[in-house]
Amino acid sequence: MSSDSSGDGGGDDSIDTEQSGAPPTGGNSEDGDGDVVASTTTSSTEIGSEFRIDVHSLNRQNSDVVTLDLSISNVSPTQSVSIYSPPQEGDEPGDLQSLTLIDGSNSKKHLPLLYEDGTCYCESWNNTSLAPGESVRAWVAFPAPPDGVKHMIFMSYAAPPIMDIPLTDSPGERVEEPAQGLSPPQIWDVRSLQEGLEDDSTREETSEEVAISLSSDVLFETNESALDKAAEEVIQQVAREIDGSSAQTVSVEGHTDNTGNDSVNVPLSEDRARAVRDALAELVEKDGISYEVAGHGSGQPIANNDSEEGRSKNRRVTITFAK
């Protein structure tokens, strides 16, 4: 598969995002915080409005690489907050990414550039928890869009998008050359994203395929892999859509949060994927369908496991098939 989920893209005519307050203080940059192009604060009910991302610039390093210079800040006067870890290998199609850029003009999603060892080509940071008033500043490298693109959209999983970030032709001053070989760039089609079934499912689609993530909290009891009776209606809806599709192969992937360890989570996620596969096989009436099953345990989170809200999002079974 070569695409992933995101919010709606926008081109150069998208509305600008207002800045939300002054630039943060602190950080790990020696040259100061600099100007802020735009800011966004989290919409998470766990963190409230105390987690803020400021974008300082978006720069073309060369024809292949752009760099996003940003600060991640805790604007709370009293509480510590958890923040993103640097991007790394492990996320796959069908899952939300922590930091991405959208080329709205061409409906493409650009994932962070990674070295061949799976670490990010970025100014890495060690802090994943910020004290009150603390911030980190870093640059993150992404595949470059075509020359004609003058603006991009910044997306993250914990805060609203920032629209129309100007893309300059001036290389970032703090950016370093790659320290080793880079993995092939990942640029995916933008999916439309819809929440459904009272937020117990997420539907993502491109022009070619559909990925439906069902909450494990609706399908299963805690630590169990036998489907609840209430799950049948949810899976029946998916089965009807598969019947009406061109699909010949259906992928079913199970995921857990990080509670427990891999020796428990990986088998549990695979057993849950098999249970959904078995239910689909009984309900789908279309002939000639083959099924692929995988269990990833907690290895592919789509949200921060430091909150119950995030852990709930990570407990899911994702069903992917051609339209």
Side-chain angles (χ1 to χ4, degrees), residues 62-103:
N62 51 51
S63 60
D64 298 320
V65 177
V66 298
T67 54
L68 181 73
D69 186 352
L70 76 166
S71 296
I72 305 175
S73 304
N74 176 11
V75 296
S76 168
T78 59
Q79 300 293 321
S80 296
V81 298
S82 297
I83 66 168
Y84 307 118
S85 299
Q88 61 182 345
E89 188 174 20
D91 296 317
E92 292 191 354
D95 288 336
L96 300 175
Q97 309 292 320
S98 59
L99 303 172
T100 58
L101 291 176
I102 304 295
D103 171 7

mmCIF file of all heavy atoms in Angstrom, residues 62-103:
data_model
loop_
_atom_site.group_PDB
_atom_site.id
_atom_site.type_symbol
_atom_site.label_atom_id
_atom_site.label_comp_id
_atom_site.label_asym_id
_atom_site.label_seq_id
_atom_site.Cartn_x
_atom_site.Cartn_y
_atom_site.Cartn_z
ATOM 1 N N ASN A 62 17.115 21.641 -0.656
ATOM 2 C CA ASN A 62 17.515 21.358 -2.022
ATOM 3 C C ASN A 62 16.281 20.825 -2.748
ATOM 4 O O ASN A 62 15.169 20.917 -2.222
ATOM 5 C CB ASN A 62 18.690 20.366 -2.062
ATOM 6 C CG ASN A 62 18.427 19.116 -1.225
ATOM 7 O OD1 ASN A 62 17.376 18.477 -1.371
ATOM 8 N ND2 ASN A 62 19.365 18.768 -0.343
ATOM 9 N N SER A 63 16.472 20.245 -3.915
ATOM 10 C CA SER A 63 15.321 19.767 -4.690
ATOM 11 C C SER A 63 14.643 18.560 -4.066
ATOM 12 O O SER A 63 13.508 18.225 -4.419
ATOM 13 C CB SER A 63 15.753 19.426 -6.116
ATOM 14 O OG SER A 63 16.752 18.409 -6.096
ATOM 15 N N ASP A 64 15.326 17.904 -3.111
ATOM 16 C CA ASP A 64 14.787 16.673 -2.530
ATOM 17 C C ASP A 64 14.305 16.818 -1.094
ATOM 18 O O ASP A 64 13.560 15.960 -0.606
ATOM 19 C CB ASP A 64 15.857 15.567 -2.567
ATOM 20 C CG ASP A 64 16.292 15.211 -3.970
ATOM 21 O OD1 ASP A 64 15.416 15.152 -4.857
ATOM 22 O OD2 ASP A 64 17.499 15.016 -4.180
ATOM 23 N N VAL A 65 14.721 17.846 -0.378
ATOM 24 C CA VAL A 65 14.495 17.927 1.062
ATOM 25 C C VAL A 65 13.953 19.298 1.460
ATOM 26 O O VAL A 65 14.453 20.339 0.995
ATOM 27 C CB VAL A 65 15.807 17.671 1.847
ATOM 28 C CG1 VAL A 65 15.578 17.831 3.352
ATOM 29 C CG2 VAL A 65 16.356 16.283 1.543
ATOM 30 N N VAL A 66 12.912 19.293 2.306
ATOM 31 C CA VAL A 66 12.480 20.503 3.008
ATOM 32 C C VAL A 66 12.601 20.237 4.498
ATOM 33 O O VAL A 66 12.528 19.084 4.951
ATOM 34 C CB VAL A 66 11.029 20.903 2.663
ATOM 35 C CG1 VAL A 66 10.893 21.209 1.185
ATOM 36 C CG2 VAL A 66 10.030 19.835 3.100
ATOM 37 N N THR A 67 12.810 21.303 5.270
ATOM 38 C CA THR A 67 12.920 21.152 6.719
ATOM 39 C C THR A 67 11.922 22.053 7.419
ATOM 40 O O THR A 67 11.755 23.226 7.053
ATOM 41 C CB THR A 67 14.343 21.470 7.219
ATOM 42 O OG1 THR A 67 14.732 22.768 6.747
ATOM 43 C CG2 THR A 67 15.325 20.413 6.736
ATOM 44 N N LEU A 68 11.258 21.493 8.406
ATOM 45 C CA LEU A 68 10.307 22.224 9.229
ATOM 46 C C LEU A 68 10.978 22.551 10.552
ATOM 47 O O LEU A 68 11.442 21.655 11.263
ATOM 48 C CB LEU A 68 9.061 21.360 9.470
ATOM 49 C CG LEU A 68 7.942 21.997 10.298
ATOM 50 C CD1 LEU A 68 7.222 23.068 9.485
ATOM 51 C CD2 LEU A 68 6.946 20.935 10.767
ATOM 52 N N ASP A 69 11.065 23.843 10.875
ATOM 53 C CA ASP A 69 11.658 24.307 12.130
ATOM 54 C C ASP A 69 10.513 24.607 13.084
ATOM 55 O O ASP A 69 9.679 25.469 12.812
ATOM 56 C CB ASP A 69 12.489 25.557 11.858
ATOM 57 C CG ASP A 69 13.267 26.035 13.075
ATOM 58 O OD1 ASP A 69 13.062 25.491 14.179
ATOM 59 O OD2 ASP A 69 14.078 26.974 12.928
ATOM 60 N N LEU A 70 10.443 23.880 14.197
ATOM 61 C CA LEU A 70 9.302 24.025 15.095
ATOM 62 C C LEU A 70 9.728 23.949 16.550
ATOM 63 O O LEU A 70 10.802 23.438 16.886
ATOM 64 C CB LEU A 70 8.238 22.961 14.821
ATOM 65 C CG LEU A 70 8.463 21.524 15.307
ATOM 66 C CD1 LEU A 70 7.165 20.733 15.237
ATOM 67 C CD2 LEU A 70 9.537 20.797 14.508
ATOM 68 N N SER A 71 8.861 24.455 17.424
ATOM 69 C CA SER A 71 9.015 24.322 18.871
ATOM 70 C C SER A 71 7.797 23.612 19.428
ATOM 71 O O SER A 71 6.668 23.844 18.982
ATOM 72 C CB SER A 71 9.150 25.692 19.546
ATOM 73 O OG SER A 71 10.314 26.360 19.144
ATOM 74 N N ILE A 72 8.026 22.736 20.399
ATOM 75 C CA ILE A 72 6.943 22.053 21.113
ATOM 76 C C ILE A 72 7.029 22.518 22.556
ATOM 77 O O ILE A 72 8.079 22.384 23.191
ATOM 78 C CB ILE A 72 7.079 20.532 21.016
ATOM 79 C CG1 ILE A 72 7.150 20.095 19.546
ATOM 80 C CG2 ILE A 72 5.914 19.842 21.720
ATOM 81 C CD1 ILE A 72 7.416 18.608 19.371
ATOM 82 N N SER A 73 5.937 23.075 23.090
ATOM 83 C CA SER A 73 5.997 23.771 24.374
ATOM 84 C C SER A 73 4.893 23.337 25.330
ATOM 85 O O SER A 73 3.785 22.987 24.915
ATOM 86 C CB SER A 73 5.875 25.287 24.153
ATOM 87 O OG SER A 73 6.857 25.752 23.259
ATOM 88 N N ASN A 74 5.221 23.387 26.597
ATOM 89 C CA ASN A 74 4.251 23.237 27.671
ATOM 90 C C ASN A 74 3.974 24.624 28.228
ATOM 91 O O ASN A 74 4.833 25.211 28.905
ATOM 92 C CB ASN A 74 4.806 22.309 28.757
ATOM 93 C CG ASN A 74 3.868 22.190 29.962
ATOM 94 O OD1 ASN A 74 2.726 22.637 29.918
ATOM 95 N ND2 ASN A 74 4.370 21.605 31.037
ATOM 96 N N VAL A 75 2.806 25.164 27.941
ATOM 97 C CA VAL A 75 2.488 26.516 28.389
ATOM 98 C C VAL A 75 1.746 26.528 29.721
ATOM 99 O O VAL A 75 1.295 27.575 30.173
ATOM 100 C CB VAL A 75 1.665 27.266 27.316
ATOM 101 C CG1 VAL A 75 2.488 27.440 26.057
ATOM 102 C CG2 VAL A 75 0.361 26.528 27.006
ATOM 103 N N SER A 76 1.643 25.370 30.370
ATOM 104 C CA SER A 76 1.017 25.306 31.686
ATOM 105 C C SER A 76 1.946 25.917 32.737
ATOM 106 O O SER A 76 3.149 25.680 32.712
ATOM 107 C CB SER A 76 0.712 23.856 32.068
ATOM 108 O OG SER A 76 0.364 23.766 33.432
ATOM 109 N N PRO A 77 1.396 26.655 33.691
ATOM 110 C CA PRO A 77 2.230 27.179 34.771
ATOM 111 C C PRO A 77 2.479 26.171 35.884
ATOM 112 O O PRO A 77 3.329 26.403 36.748
ATOM 113 C CB PRO A 77 1.397 28.365 35.292
ATOM 114 C CG PRO A 77 -0.022 27.968 35.017
ATOM 115 C CD PRO A 77 0.013 27.190 33.721
ATOM 116 N N THR A 78 1.770 25.038 35.851
ATOM 117 C CA THR A 78 1.858 24.123 36.995
ATOM 118 C C THR A 78 2.065 22.653 36.646
ATOM 119 O O THR A 78 2.642 21.910 37.439
ATOM 120 C CB THR A 78 0.578 24.227 37.855
ATOM 121 O OG1 THR A 78 -0.556 23.899 37.045
ATOM 122 C CG2 THR A 78 0.417 25.626 38.431
ATOM 123 N N GLN A 79 1.598 22.186 35.460
ATOM 124 C CA GLN A 79 1.574 20.760 35.163
ATOM 125 C C GLN A 79 2.593 20.382 34.088
ATOM 126 O O GLN A 79 2.783 21.107 33.111
ATOM 127 C CB GLN A 79 0.173 20.336 34.680
ATOM 128 C CG GLN A 79 -0.929 20.588 35.682
ATOM 129 C CD GLN A 79 -0.793 19.704 36.918
ATOM 130 O OE1 GLN A 79 -0.423 18.535 36.803
ATOM 131 N NE2 GLN A 79 -1.070 20.255 38.084
ATOM 132 N N SER A 80 3.243 19.230 34.257
ATOM 133 C CA SER A 80 4.082 18.676 33.201
ATOM 134 C C SER A 80 3.189 18.021 32.148
ATOM 135 O O SER A 80 2.082 17.566 32.457
ATOM 136 C CB SER A 80 5.054 17.640 33.770
ATOM 137 O OG SER A 80 5.967 18.239 34.669
ATOM 138 N N VAL A 81 3.660 17.964 30.900
ATOM 139 C CA VAL A 81 2.904 17.308 29.838
ATOM 140 C C VAL A 81 3.822 16.405 29.031
ATOM 141 O O VAL A 81 5.034 16.639 28.937
ATOM 142 C CB VAL A 81 2.229 18.333 28.880
ATOM 143 C CG1 VAL A 81 1.240 19.197 29.611
ATOM 144 C CG2 VAL A 81 3.272 19.174 28.162
ATOM 145 N N SER A 82 3.270 15.350 28.450
ATOM 146 C CA SER A 82 4.012 14.463 27.570
ATOM 147 C C SER A 82 3.973 15.020 26.155
ATOM 148 O O SER A 82 2.977 15.617 25.735
ATOM 149 C CB SER A 82 3.398 13.060 27.586
ATOM 150 O OG SER A 82 3.479 12.493 28.872
ATOM 151 N N ILE A 83 5.057 14.829 25.391
ATOM 152 C CA ILE A 83 5.123 15.326 24.026
ATOM 153 C C ILE A 83 5.552 14.196 23.095
ATOM 154 O O ILE A 83 5.872 13.097 23.535
ATOM 155 C CB ILE A 83 6.088 16.515 23.885
ATOM 156 C CG1 ILE A 83 7.538 16.060 24.146
ATOM 157 C CG2 ILE A 83 5.686 17.642 24.813
ATOM 158 C CD1 ILE A 83 8.572 17.094 23.755
ATOM 159 N N TYR A 84 5.579 14.482 21.792
ATOM 160 C CA TYR A 84 5.990 13.510 20.799
ATOM 161 C C TYR A 84 7.444 13.088 20.996
ATOM 162 O O TYR A 84 8.285 13.882 21.391
ATOM 163 C CB TYR A 84 5.898 14.095 19.385
ATOM 164 C CG TYR A 84 4.595 14.703 19.009
ATOM 165 C CD1 TYR A 84 4.513 16.055 18.695
ATOM 166 C CD2 TYR A 84 3.443 13.944 18.927
ATOM 167 C CE1 TYR A 84 3.316 16.638 18.316
ATOM 168 C CE2 TYR A 84 2.248 14.508 18.540
ATOM 169 C CZ TYR A 84 2.190 15.855 18.245
ATOM 170 O OH TYR A 84 1.007 16.421 17.872
ATOM 171 N N SER A 85 7.730 11.846 20.658
ATOM 172 C CA SER A 85 9.105 11.432 20.445
ATOM 173 C C SER A 85 9.485 11.787 19.010
ATOM 174 O O SER A 85 8.617 11.999 18.164
ATOM 175 C CB SER A 85 9.250 9.919 20.650
ATOM 176 O OG SER A 85 8.909 9.562 21.966
ATOM 177 N N PRO A 86 10.777 11.858 18.691
ATOM 178 C CA PRO A 86 11.165 12.097 17.293
ATOM 179 C C PRO A 86 10.600 11.007 16.390
ATOM 180 O O PRO A 86 10.429 9.858 16.808
ATOM 181 C CB PRO A 86 12.694 12.038 17.347
ATOM 182 C CG PRO A 86 13.047 12.378 18.748
ATOM 183 C CD PRO A 86 11.943 11.795 19.591
ATOM 184 N N PRO A 87 10.281 11.337 15.132
ATOM 185 C CA PRO A 87 9.762 10.317 14.202
ATOM 186 C C PRO A 87 10.723 9.145 14.087
ATOM 187 O O PRO A 87 11.942 9.298 14.216
ATOM 188 C CB PRO A 87 9.659 11.082 12.876
ATOM 189 C CG PRO A 87 9.577 12.520 13.269
ATOM 190 C CD PRO A 87 10.397 12.656 14.508
ATOM 191 N N GLN A 88 10.184 7.963 13.832
ATOM 192 C CA GLN A 88 11.012 6.776 13.658
ATOM 193 C C GLN A 88 10.273 5.751 12.817
ATOM 194 O O GLN A 88 9.072 5.872 12.589
ATOM 195 C CB GLN A 88 11.374 6.157 15.010
ATOM 196 C CG GLN A 88 10.171 5.694 15.816
ATOM 197 C CD GLN A 88 10.565 5.137 17.177
ATOM 198 O OE1 GLN A 88 11.726 4.843 17.410
ATOM 199 N NE2 GLN A 88 9.607 5.006 18.069
ATOM 200 N N GLU A 89 11.007 4.748 12.368
ATOM 201 C CA GLU A 89 10.406 3.699 11.550
ATOM 202 C C GLU A 89 9.410 2.893 12.365
ATOM 203 O O GLU A 89 9.597 2.690 13.560
ATOM 204 C CB GLU A 89 11.500 2.774 11.029
ATOM 205 C CG GLU A 89 11.029 1.760 10.010
ATOM 206 C CD GLU A 89 12.192 0.973 9.437
ATOM 207 O OE1 GLU A 89 13.254 0.935 10.075
ATOM 208 O OE2 GLU A 89 12.037 0.408 8.355
ATOM 209 N N GLY A 90 8.345 2.440 11.733
ATOM 210 C CA GLY A 90 7.381 1.596 12.427
ATOM 211 C C GLY A 90 5.949 1.902 12.074
ATOM 212 O O GLY A 90 5.089 1.046 12.178
ATOM 213 N N ASP A 91 5.658 3.152 11.667
ATOM 214 C CA ASP A 91 4.301 3.485 11.262
ATOM 215 C C ASP A 91 4.037 2.947 9.872
ATOM 216 O O ASP A 91 4.911 2.914 9.029
ATOM 217 C CB ASP A 91 4.098 5.000 11.266
ATOM 218 C CG ASP A 91 4.223 5.572 12.666
ATOM 219 O OD1 ASP A 91 3.673 4.960 13.593
ATOM 220 O OD2 ASP A 91 4.874 6.609 12.803
ATOM 221 N N GLU A 92 2.788 2.505 9.615
ATOM 222 C CA GLU A 92 2.440 1.901 8.340
ATOM 223 C C GLU A 92 1.164 2.507 7.784
ATOM 224 O O GLU A 92 0.435 3.201 8.495
ATOM 225 C CB GLU A 92 2.251 0.383 8.505
ATOM 226 C CG GLU A 92 3.540 -0.347 8.832
ATOM 227 C CD GLU A 92 3.381 -1.844 8.724
ATOM 228 O OE1 GLU A 92 2.246 -2.296 8.503
ATOM 229 O OE2 GLU A 92 4.384 -2.537 8.855
ATOM 230 N N PRO A 93 0.847 2.253 6.511
ATOM 231 C CA PRO A 93 -0.391 2.766 5.937
ATOM 232 C C PRO A 93 -1.596 2.373 6.774
ATOM 233 O O PRO A 93 -1.667 1.294 7.323
ATOM 234 C CB PRO A 93 -0.435 2.098 4.555
ATOM 235 C CG PRO A 93 0.988 1.840 4.220
ATOM 236 C CD PRO A 93 1.643 1.512 5.531
ATOM 237 N N GLY A 94 -2.562 3.315 6.853
ATOM 238 C CA GLY A 94 -3.754 3.072 7.642
ATOM 239 C C GLY A 94 -3.666 3.670 9.018
ATOM 240 O O GLY A 94 -4.653 3.746 9.730
ATOM 241 N N ASP A 95 -2.458 4.111 9.437
ATOM 242 C CA ASP A 95 -2.269 4.709 10.744
ATOM 243 C C ASP A 95 -1.952 6.194 10.615
ATOM 244 O O ASP A 95 -1.308 6.631 9.681
ATOM 245 C CB ASP A 95 -1.119 4.039 11.504
ATOM 246 C CG ASP A 95 -1.495 2.645 11.977
ATOM 247 O OD1 ASP A 95 -2.694 2.382 12.129
ATOM 248 O OD2 ASP A 95 -0.588 1.854 12.170
ATOM 249 N N LEU A 96 -2.393 6.952 11.613
ATOM 250 C CA LEU A 96 -2.059 8.359 11.654
ATOM 251 C C LEU A 96 -0.594 8.528 12.045
ATOM 252 O O LEU A 96 -0.070 7.759 12.837
ATOM 253 C CB LEU A 96 -2.950 9.075 12.666
ATOM 254 C CG LEU A 96 -4.450 9.001 12.405
ATOM 255 C CD1 LEU A 96 -5.203 9.649 13.553
ATOM 256 C CD2 LEU A 96 -4.788 9.693 11.100
ATOM 257 N N GLN A 97 0.076 9.545 11.507
ATOM 258 C CA GLN A 97 1.452 9.838 11.832
ATOM 259 C C GLN A 97 1.499 11.007 12.811
ATOM 260 O O GLN A 97 0.628 11.863 12.831
ATOM 261 C CB GLN A 97 2.207 10.192 10.555
ATOM 262 C CG GLN A 97 2.021 9.175 9.446
ATOM 263 C CD GLN A 97 2.683 7.865 9.771
ATOM 264 O OE1 GLN A 97 3.762 7.854 10.317
ATOM 265 N NE2 GLN A 97 2.045 6.771 9.428
ATOM 266 N N SER A 98 2.562 11.070 13.630
ATOM 267 C CA SER A 98 2.634 12.118 14.643
ATOM 268 C C SER A 98 2.909 13.485 14.031
ATOM 269 O O SER A 98 2.323 14.488 14.441
ATOM 270 C CB SER A 98 3.716 11.773 15.672
ATOM 271 O OG SER A 98 4.983 11.624 15.063
ATOM 272 N N LEU A 99 3.812 13.581 13.051
ATOM 273 C CA LEU A 99 4.157 14.841 12.400
ATOM 274 C C LEU A 99 4.190 14.615 10.887
ATOM 275 O O LEU A 99 4.927 13.749 10.423
ATOM 276 C CB LEU A 99 5.533 15.336 12.867
ATOM 277 C CG LEU A 99 5.751 15.548 14.370
ATOM 278 C CD1 LEU A 99 7.216 15.855 14.644
ATOM 279 C CD2 LEU A 99 4.870 16.665 14.904
ATOM 280 N N THR A 100 3.426 15.368 10.138
ATOM 281 C CA THR A 100 3.411 15.217 8.680
ATOM 282 C C THR A 100 3.201 16.565 8.024
ATOM 283 O O THR A 100 2.723 17.517 8.635
ATOM 284 C CB THR A 100 2.292 14.262 8.208
ATOM 285 O OG1 THR A 100 1.034 14.761 8.672
ATOM 286 C CG2 THR A 100 2.489 12.858 8.722
ATOM 287 N N LEU A 101 3.564 16.633 6.743
ATOM 288 C CA LEU A 101 3.281 17.799 5.922
ATOM 289 C C LEU A 101 2.351 17.386 4.790
ATOM 290 O O LEU A 101 2.503 16.306 4.219
ATOM 291 C CB LEU A 101 4.567 18.387 5.335
ATOM 292 C CG LEU A 101 5.524 19.062 6.309
ATOM 293 C CD1 LEU A 101 6.793 19.491 5.569
ATOM 294 C CD2 LEU A 101 4.881 20.271 6.989
ATOM 295 N N ILE A 102 1.405 18.246 4.453
ATOM 296 C CA ILE A 102 0.462 17.994 3.374
ATOM 297 C C ILE A 102 0.726 18.960 2.230
ATOM 298 O O ILE A 102 0.801 20.175 2.438
ATOM 299 C CB ILE A 102 -0.998 18.154 3.844
ATOM 300 C CG1 ILE A 102 -1.300 17.247 5.038
ATOM 301 C CG2 ILE A 102 -1.970 17.876 2.690
ATOM 302 C CD1 ILE A 102 -1.225 15.786 4.741
ATOM 303 N N ASP A 103 0.900 18.421 1.042
ATOM 304 C CA ASP A 103 0.935 19.213 -0.189
ATOM 305 C C ASP A 103 -0.491 19.236 -0.714
ATOM 306 O O ASP A 103 -0.929 18.322 -1.412
ATOM 307 C CB ASP A 103 1.903 18.577 -1.189
ATOM 308 C CG ASP A 103 1.844 19.208 -2.573
ATOM 309 O OD1 ASP A 103 1.146 20.222 -2.734
ATOM 310 O OD2 ASP A 103 2.487 18.663 -3.490
#
